[in-house]
Amino acid sequence: MSVKQEHRYYKWVLETGRAVTDWQREIEAATMERKPRPCVIPPKPNANRRQVRSWMRNNADGFGSATQLAEAANAALELPPGAMDDETHWVWEEALAALYSDETEKISA
């Protein structure tokens, strides 16, 4: 057997072996039992203004500043994206209103 014939033989053996494993994979894939995929959990919706206002007014007693109250609300609720970075966002208005409405109630009482 010449070197050229040997190389042809090795090439044929490799191609045949690959073809057999490819056929096996195709058969396994076609007959394989597919289990149902787990459900995709939708992301938790952002808290709306009413929910944030209610939470802040109920929990304003334990906080000394609007920043602390807003950060706690962010930890407890899912605030809209960018709310903590934008100082003109309504979250800050609600934090101030919750703190000052609590103080005015204490003064008037």
Side-chain angles (χ1 to χ4, degrees):
M1 186 184 294
S2 70
V3 173
K4 199 173 194 180
Q5 288 173 334
E6 268 186 61
H7 286 295
R8 264 191 259 144
Y9 177 73
Y10 288 139
K11 184 179 176 184
W12 177 79
V13 168
L14 289 175
E15 288 174 359
T16 307
R18 287 183 185 147
V20 169
T21 56
D22 288 345
W23 293 334
Q24 287 174 344
R25 286 187 191 136
E26 288 177 15
I27 291 169
E28 288 172 359
T31 60
M32 183 170 52
E33 180 184 338
R34 289 177 176 83
K35 296 181 182 177
R37 292 183 179 179
C39 297
V40 176
I41 300 171
K44 186 177 173 185
N46 294 333
N48 59 25
R49 192 168 185 157
R50 184 185 313 161
Q51 291 170 331
V52 173
R53 179 184 305 136
S54 174
W55 188 92
M56 285 186 176
R57 288 187 179 173
N58 290 335
N59 298 303
D61 293 339
F63 300 98
S65 69
T67 304
Q68 292 174 347
L69 184 59
E71 287 176 351
N74 190 27
L77 305 171
E78 189 71 30
L79 294 183
M84 298 302 290
D85 299 329
D86 183 13
E87 60 266 356
T88 60
H89 198 274
W90 56 262
V91 169
W92 299 102
E93 295 173 15
E94 294 298 335
L96 288 171
L99 284 176
Y100 289 128
S101 68
D102 190 43
E103 288 179 8
T104 54
E105 288 174 7
K106 287 178 186 176
I107 292 171
S108 63

